[in-house]
Amino acid sequence: MIPDKLQHSNQILKPESTLVNHPQSQNITIIGGLGRMGKLFREQLSSVGNNVSVLEHEDWMYADKLLSQAELVLVSVPIERTVEVIKRASQYLSPNTALCDITSIKTQSTQAMLEHHSGPVMGLHPMFGPNIKSFLGQKVVVCPGRNDDSFQWLLNLIKNQGGELITCTPEEHDQMMVIVQATQHFSRFSLGVFLTEAEIDIERSLSMSTPSYRQEIEILQRLFAQNPNLCVDIILATEERCQAINSLANTYSRLAMLVAKKDRAALIQEFENAQEFLGAKNNYLVESLNGFPEKEN
């Protein structure tokens, strides 16, 4: 017998109006559906009438029933477990089952899904945390794999809620995430450790801060509110990320050496080089950012 938590997890989240038969409802199983991001997708998919089940690490004795009858299986587990879970789940899937994952590394997971599952495959990466209320104003990166039409209803759900879909290859995604995620996490991780070691009175500093400093502290607080395993896994996920972070640290060291030497001319030259590259003088990036939702800015 399947435990009550698996049978009724969907019903707890559904409004009464969605419990009636929905002509477009899908049978969905989320592997890792009790995690924070898994729960978010469980809530969003259930709210429009889909029948959503959850498979956690202690539920694999029920995998045949939960996976073989699903029209969509969504993998929402930590980075280091994603490929392993894909391999394990694939043996239970029907050839018609759509399989996707939402981890922040796409090349390895997409290759694993294509290799171990003969049916529809797609890689997704939600560019937001689990605290949002809907997909409104949020970005989701889409990495097509096989039989993309099987996922169109899911992509339409995200778009209809006001989400933005960005399509790219898994390789381009992973290359971009080196900068978008890994180096940013490391940079802010480092700043948080520095403030801790210096025993800075954060509350006092905020009382006489600039808007940009307050914004930076808010970002730091959001980062350190996360599970530390998630942050560290994002930093260490690939060798390319580790190499880029090492290069960033070398840049810090080089600039710090110029500061130690009080080499004003060299520091100004470094600033002007970056200023030209970023198009700061003609406000190119500022104008681009003005097109983003206010919350993201």
Side-chain angles (χ1 to χ4, degrees):
M1 176 180 290
I2 297 180
D4 289 344
K5 73 167 185 174
L6 301 182
Q7 290 180 320
H8 303 301
S9 60
N10 173 40
Q11 297 178 14
I12 294 172
L13 294 165
K14 284 185 177 180
E16 184 176 349
S17 61
T18 65
L19 293 175
V20 297
N21 185 35
H22 193 286
Q24 295 180 330
S25 64
Q26 302 274 328
N27 290 320
I28 301 168
T29 294
I30 301 179
I31 304 177
L34 297 184
R36 296 180 67 196
M37 189 61 79
K39 181 180 178 183
L40 169 65
F41 272 80
R42 185 163 57 111
E43 291 172 344
Q44 296 301 318
L45 293 168
S46 296
S47 68
V48 293
N50 293 300
N51 179 32
V52 183
S53 299
V54 170
L55 192 156
E56 289 292 327
H57 64 274
E58 69 270 20
D59 303 321
W60 282 95
M61 65 187 73
Y62 310 107
D64 187 29
K65 182 173 180 61
L66 290 171
L67 298 176
S68 65
Q69 300 179 18
E71 294 165 276
L72 170 69
V73 170
L74 189 150
V75 178
S76 176
V77 299
I79 295 172
E80 73 276 6
R81 292 188 55 224
T82 299
V83 171
E84 166 205 341
V85 167
I86 288 170
K87 292 179 181 178
R88 189 175 184 183
S90 295
Q91 60 186 308
Y92 299 101
L93 302 182
S94 160
N96 296 322
T97 300
L99 176 64
C100 71
D101 79 301
I102 56 172
T103 191
S104 59
I105 300 292
K106 294 269 71 81
T107 302
Q108 295 175 0
S109 61
T110 304
Q111 287 176 346
M113 289 188 290
L114 289 170
E115 179 180 350
H116 295 280
H117 179 49
S118 62
V121 164
M122 179 172 284
L124 301 177
H125 183 193
M127 302 305 299
F128 48 83
N131 296 325
I132 66 166
K133 301 301 181 184
S134 75
F135 296 119
L136 178 64
Q138 306 298 331
K139 298 176 185 290
V140 178
V141 178
V142 179
C143 297
R146 183 191 297 126
N147 299 345
D148 299 343
D149 290 346
S150 298
F151 300 92
Q152 194 57 52
W153 68 270
L154 176 59
L155 302 182
N156 288 342
L157 170 62
I158 296 170
K159 288 196 295 185
N160 291 340
Q161 285 193 10
E164 180 184 354
L165 303 176
I166 301 96
T167 302
C168 67
T169 65
E171 293 77 15
E172 182 187 13
H173 167 276
D174 288 355
Q175 182 181 26
M176 288 297 179
M177 287 307 110
V178 169
I179 302 303
V180 173
Q181 275 197 322
T183 57
Q184 289 299 297
H185 273 59
F186 178 78
S187 179
R188 287 164 177 152
F189 180 20
S190 301
L191 178 57
V193 172
F194 168 77
L195 294 173
T196 301
E197 291 178 344
E199 297 183 349
I200 302 299
D201 186 337
I202 300 298
E203 188 171 344
R204 180 61 174 163
S205 72
L206 288 170
S207 70
M208 55 184 80
S209 65
T210 61
S212 60
Y213 176 80
R214 290 195 295 273
Q215 184 179 50
E216 188 65 29
I217 292 299
E218 181 182 350
I219 293 172
L220 284 180
Q221 288 177 330
R222 288 203 299 269
L223 174 67
F224 285 97
Q226 297 180 22
N227 184 318
N229 294 297
L230 174 61
C231 179
V232 172
D233 286 347
I234 286 173
I235 289 173
L236 300 178
T238 66
E239 183 59 32
E240 290 75 16
R241 293 187 177 202
C242 295
Q243 291 174 0
I245 287 169
N246 185 61
S247 179
L248 175 62
N250 289 337
T251 300
Y252 286 155
S253 297
R254 179 170 57 79
L255 294 177
M257 186 66 69
L258 295 178
V259 171
K261 293 179 179 178
K262 296 182 173 58
D263 193 336
R264 187 172 183 273
L267 288 167
I268 289 175
Q269 185 61 58
E270 294 284 357
F271 187 96
E272 289 178 344
N273 290 343
Q275 187 179 56
E276 181 178 358
F277 176 77
L278 295 171
K281 281 189 174 180
N282 58 15
N283 291 328
Y284 167 72
L285 286 179
V286 173
E287 292 174 2
S288 299
L289 287 171
N290 285 339
F292 292 168
E294 183 178 349
K295 191 172 184 180
E296 185 170 344
N297 278 331

